[in-house]
């Protein structure tokens, strides 16, 4: 009897040691040790709720930059009851996982209950959409702007199939968007595709995918992105100029005033990295697009600088600010997300 007790205790000890070893490995390993998603519904179930906030990374980039991390964290804070789905291209190739690399950004985001990482499999995504024929024929290696064009296509297919809200990875959420079917105006009669939201299978997005293929020209910057949304909106609606700060309605689509997401226009993007005498309250905005694509100078968040962007980080993504704005120079290295424009 005593031998059996000793044997049982030994087995329990071996099991406990094995578990402790796995936990030790987990603290040092990279994304291979993190679940892609923890919901019992799986990614399809989460997406089919039609309420997801979607981000996309079309490059093979592994580590999210601080700006990307801030965008995801701010969305998770503003939409605590909705799944935040981050599609990442590199996850579709598990053989490239690096098991012994620490990742503070992934650790931070994976600890949030409503943030989920999903592989971006474009061939599967584009199936049963007008984009499939284009994708199976296009030579991605010959495309000058492939990362952006493939992101433009992916966001259309995801929101058409599942519904929800798409956001670029340089968009900081500051309050909930109350609309279901909407486009975001960059200016009068000009739409962006950096933020938009629709219910599943909305015919406007199907028409956009058809136009994407019929008028494909990747040599024209934005032709498959904001230019596409603008030309399709003009077909769909008789656009008028905005009156003061009111939104426009066309059939069942809301065309939201530029103040909702672009209170600082792209030509003035440096204002985010400056100190303001009196900071704006952005009371008319739902989110802020930081125009990361324009940031060719590599401007960064500087701790203690009291710039507008530093204060936005402090307020809307405090965990990112605390965890990632901490190198010896007080700056964050710039690594722009390809979901940004």
């Amino acid at each position: 009897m005593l031998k059996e007790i000793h044997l049982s205790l030994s087995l329990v000890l071996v099991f406990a040691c094995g578990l402790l070893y796995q936990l030790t490995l987990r603290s040092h390993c990279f994304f291979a040790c993190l679940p892609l998603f923890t919901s019992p519904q799986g990614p399809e179930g989460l997406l089919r709720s039609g309420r997801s906030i979607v981000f996309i990374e079309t490059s093979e980039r592994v580590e999210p930059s601080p700006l990307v991390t801030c965008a995801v964290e701010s969305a998770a804070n503003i939409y605590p009851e909705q799944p935040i789905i981050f599609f990442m291209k590199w996850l579709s190739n598990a053989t490239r996982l690096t098991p012994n690399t620490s990742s503070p950004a992934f650790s931070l985001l994976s600890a949030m209950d409503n943030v989920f990482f999903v592989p971006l499999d474009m061939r599967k995504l584009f199936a049963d959409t007008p984009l499939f024929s284009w994708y199976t024929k296009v030579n991605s290696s010959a495309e000058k702007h492939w990362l952006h064009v493939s992101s433009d296509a992916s966001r259309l297919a995801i929101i058409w199939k599942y519904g929800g809200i798409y956001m670029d990875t340089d968009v900081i959420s500051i309050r909930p968007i109350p609309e279901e079917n909407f486009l975001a105006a960059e200016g009068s009669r000009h739409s962006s595709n950096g933020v938009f939201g629709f219910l599943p299978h909305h015919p406007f997005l199907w028409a956009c995918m058809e136009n994407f293929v019929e008028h494909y020209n990747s040599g024209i910057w934005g032709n498959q992105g904001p230019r596409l949304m603008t030309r399709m909106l003009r077909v769909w609606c008789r656009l008028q100029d905005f009156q003061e700060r009111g939104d426009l309605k066309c059939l069942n689509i809301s065309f939201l005033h530029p103040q909702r997401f672009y209170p600082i226009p792209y030509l003035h993007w440096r204002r985010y990295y400056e100190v303001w005498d009196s900071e704006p309250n952005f009371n008319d905005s739902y989110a802020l697009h930081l125009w990361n694509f324009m940031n060719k100078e590599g401007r960064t968040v500087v701790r203690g600088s009291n710039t507008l962007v530093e204060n936005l980080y402090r307020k809307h993504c405090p965990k990112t600010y605390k965890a990632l704005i901490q190198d010896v120079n007080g700056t964050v290295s710039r690594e722009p997300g390809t979901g940004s424009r």
Side-chain angles (χ1 to χ4, degrees):
M1 181 67 179
L2 190 58
K3 281 187 175 182
E4 292 177 355
I5 293 175
H6 284 165
L7 179 60
S8 299
L9 289 174
S10 298
L11 290 173
V12 170
L13 182 60
V14 170
F15 176 80
C17 290
L19 182 60
L20 181 61
Y21 176 71
Q22 290 298 320
L23 290 173
T24 302
L25 283 179
R26 186 182 181 90
S27 66
H28 296 288
C29 71
F30 191 41
F31 192 71
C33 301
L34 299 174
L36 298 186
F37 41 82
T38 57
S39 170
Q41 306 172 62
E44 291 279 333
L46 289 169
L47 286 161
R48 291 194 187 283
S49 71
R51 302 172 61 247
S52 299
I53 312 298
V54 172
F55 296 91
I56 298 173
E57 176 60 68
T58 52
S59 77
E60 295 289 343
R61 184 172 289 115
V62 171
E63 172 73 351
S65 70
L67 179 54
V68 174
T69 308
C70 181
V72 177
E73 180 191 347
S74 66
N77 292 337
I78 294 298
Y79 304 95
E81 304 301 322
Q82 296 173 235
I84 312 300
I85 310 293
F86 197 168
F87 284 86
M88 301 192 77
K89 177 66 170 63
W90 78 278
L91 287 176
S92 63
N93 188 349
T95 62
R96 297 189 184 184
L97 297 178
T98 308
N100 293 314
T101 306
S102 62
S103 174
F106 269 124
S107 297
L108 187 158
L109 294 175
S110 65
M112 299 179 185
D113 291 339
N114 61 332
V115 175
F116 305 91
F117 299 92
V118 176
L120 178 60
D121 183 341
M122 292 185 198
R123 189 177 187 88
K124 180 180 178 181
L125 174 63
F126 297 149
D128 304 319
T129 77
L131 297 169
F132 187 76
S133 60
W134 158 78
Y135 180 71
T136 54
K137 296 175 183 176
V138 70
N139 180 4
S140 60
S141 62
E143 296 287 320
K144 181 179 179 181
H145 303 299
W146 176 247
L147 294 182
H148 296 290
V149 168
S150 58
S151 178
D152 291 334
S154 297
R155 67 189 72 174
L156 290 173
I158 290 169
I159 302 302
W160 179 81
K161 280 191 171 184
Y162 304 109
I165 295 173
Y166 167 81
M167 292 185 181
D168 274 352
T169 53
D170 58 348
V171 172
I172 297 178
S173 297
I174 59 177
R175 58 178 54 88
I177 301 169
E179 305 288 343
E180 286 186 326
N181 302 310
F182 72 89
L183 294 171
E186 281 189 27
S188 185
R189 308 191 187 205
H190 292 277
S191 179
S192 80
N193 74 332
V195 185
F196 63 90
F198 285 91
L199 294 172
H201 295 167
H202 195 286
F204 178 81
L205 293 183
W206 184 268
C208 284
M209 291 189 288
E210 289 182 325
N211 191 278
F212 183 107
V213 177
E214 291 168 5
H215 299 278
Y216 184 70
N217 186 341
S218 62
I220 301 175
W221 174 251
N223 188 62
Q224 319 309 132
R227 288 174 181 253
L228 167 65
M229 290 297 204
T230 298
R231 64 177 177 262
M232 291 308 301
L233 187 61
R234 289 173 179 171
V235 170
W236 206 263
C237 308
R238 294 184 62 183
L239 291 179
Q240 301 176 354
D241 291 331
F242 287 99
Q243 300 301 315
E244 296 182 350
R245 297 198 175 186
D247 301 322
L248 299 178
K249 279 280 189 181
C250 170
L251 300 178
N252 66 343
I253 298 177
S254 296
F255 191 39
L256 303 186
H257 192 282
Q259 285 291 319
R260 305 294 175 250
F261 304 99
Y262 306 104
I264 297 178
Y266 75 96
L267 289 176
H268 302 287
W269 66 271
R270 292 180 183 85
R271 295 287 283 145
Y272 281 113
Y273 296 88
E274 296 173 356
V275 177
W276 292 51
D277 293 334
S278 178
E279 287 196 2
N281 53 36
F282 298 117
N283 285 342
D284 295 316
S285 302
Y286 302 132
L288 305 173
H289 195 295
L290 268 62
W291 306 110
N292 195 50
F293 181 73
M294 298 291 293
N295 189 5
K296 308 299 186 185
E297 304 164 11
R299 296 202 177 195
T300 59
V301 179
V302 178
R303 186 173 58 235
S305 63
N306 199 35
T307 55
L308 177 57
V309 69
E310 184 194 17
N311 293 331
L312 289 173
Y313 270 52
R314 279 202 197 103
K315 183 175 182 179
H316 300 292
C317 53
K319 293 180 180 177
T320 298
Y321 182 78
K322 182 178 180 180
L324 303 183
I325 314 301
Q326 59 184 13
D327 75 24
V328 293
N329 297 318
T331 62
V332 173
S333 59
R334 177 176 175 267
E335 186 181 351
T338 55
S340 310
R341 199 187 299 283

